[in-house]
Amino acid sequence: MSEIAVRPNETTVPLMPCASVEETLAFYEALGFRATYKQSRPYVYLALRWSGFQLDFGPAPEGLDPAREESGGCLVMVDAVAPYHAAFVAAMRRVHGKVLGSGLPRITRYRPGASRFTLIDPSGNSIIFIQRDEPAELEYGGSKKLTGLARALDNARILREFKNDDLQAFRALKSAVRRHGADAPVVERAIALCHLVDLAMVLGEPADPWSADLRGLELTTGDRRRIESELGHLPGLQEWLP
């Protein structure tokens, strides 16, 4: 009889809290997930599958507040994140007639060339899709190679794409525009203002102050080309630019 040994063929399946079976199923099935197991009594248990990975859900702890978005989460490592984001966005448009970009549940924006995005489900769980060749080290707080508004923009990118913290990105950019905006190249100021308009809309804040400042800028053809290259993924960009 051969000896049983530990072999490197394990599979890890994340188990996250489920605040509402109905809302969880509706959200994930609309994205194309298939329920391989679902149970409400005597306790909650859901198993959902999409492509080659599975998410499982169990009972939510007492007092769980999904709005805090601190419920649970998992990482899904993939070769390229763009096709996943495109598939989920297309599914949202088919089912809801729009992309769920704010509130709960939602999907974070995807910038071309970015290496991750996040799904936040109705229970406040974060499913983070990460490209396998993503850089191992990130300078939180902005690259030390940059200064002024350019460094603040890099910091905001990290906060949005890697930390999923739109509110902190909004606060950091507001402060940076006040401190460094007057001395920054006009194209950097325009990029910062575009981010502020977008963040304000995502967070439900007034966007008028930033859009008014943006309309007051004089942009060259080269400036517009750079802005469109970096921010072409933002819906409404052409409407914001002067």
Side-chain angles (χ1 to χ4, degrees):
M1 181 177 179
S2 61
E3 182 180 350
I4 298 176
V6 174
R7 302 184 185 282
N9 62 352
E10 302 86 359
T11 298
T12 300
V13 178
L15 178 62
M16 294 172 287
C18 173
S20 167
V21 171
E22 293 77 14
E23 291 181 7
T24 297
L25 283 173
F27 174 68
Y28 283 103
E29 288 181 338
L31 295 178
F33 282 76
R34 178 174 58 90
T36 59
Y37 187 87
K38 49 187 173 181
Q39 170 184 296
S40 298
R41 297 175 184 274
Y43 57 87
V44 169
Y45 202 95
L46 299 176
L48 303 175
R49 190 166 186 81
W50 194 92
S51 186
F53 70 95
Q54 182 168 311
L55 306 175
D56 284 21
F57 299 85
E62 185 176 351
L64 177 74
D65 182 3
R68 293 178 63 87
E69 299 181 11
E70 298 173 344
S71 307
C74 75
L75 309 180
V76 183
M77 310 303 293
V78 298
D79 291 336
V81 296
Y84 290 79
H85 192 274
F88 294 143
V89 162
M92 286 180 177
R93 287 199 174 105
R94 283 196 305 270
V95 175
H96 303 285
K98 62 178 183 179
V99 178
L100 304 179
S102 60
L104 197 70
R106 71 181 184 279
I107 187 171
T108 60
R109 299 274 171 84
Y110 175 74
R111 175 183 58 82
S115 57
R116 63 171 64 190
F117 71 89
T118 305
L119 279 175
I120 300 93
D121 74 9
S123 297
N125 298 302
S126 293
I127 318 303
I128 307 172
F129 291 79
I130 302 178
Q131 199 155 301
R132 287 192 175 91
D133 63 357
E134 181 181 88
E137 296 182 4
L138 295 168
E139 294 186 82
Y140 292 102
S143 171
K144 294 180 176 61
K145 300 176 182 178
L146 303 172
T147 60
L149 190 55
R151 182 170 180 177
L153 283 166
D154 189 57
N155 182 31
R157 176 182 64 84
I158 298 296
L159 287 167
R160 297 199 76 179
E161 295 180 12
F162 294 90
K163 302 189 75 173
N164 194 30
D165 194 340
D166 285 344
L167 180 58
Q168 189 58 38
F170 187 53
R171 291 171 175 169
L173 276 180
K174 283 196 297 183
S175 175
V177 167
R178 285 195 299 267
R179 294 174 58 194
H180 307 294
D183 299 323
V186 66
V187 66
E188 286 183 5
R189 182 176 175 86
I191 290 171
L193 291 171
C194 286
H195 277 298
L196 285 169
V197 172
D198 181 59
L199 283 162
M201 296 173 66
V202 169
L203 295 168
E205 298 280 345
D208 293 344
W210 321 115
S211 58
D213 285 353
L214 187 56
R215 286 193 295 271
L217 297 180
E218 294 185 8
L219 301 175
T220 66
T221 301
D223 292 338
R224 294 182 67 93
R225 190 177 298 117
R226 177 180 166 186
I227 293 167
E228 291 168 358
S229 173
E230 292 189 22
L231 304 180
H233 62 289
L234 297 181
L237 177 66
Q238 295 301 326
E239 300 173 9
W240 307 339
L241 294 178

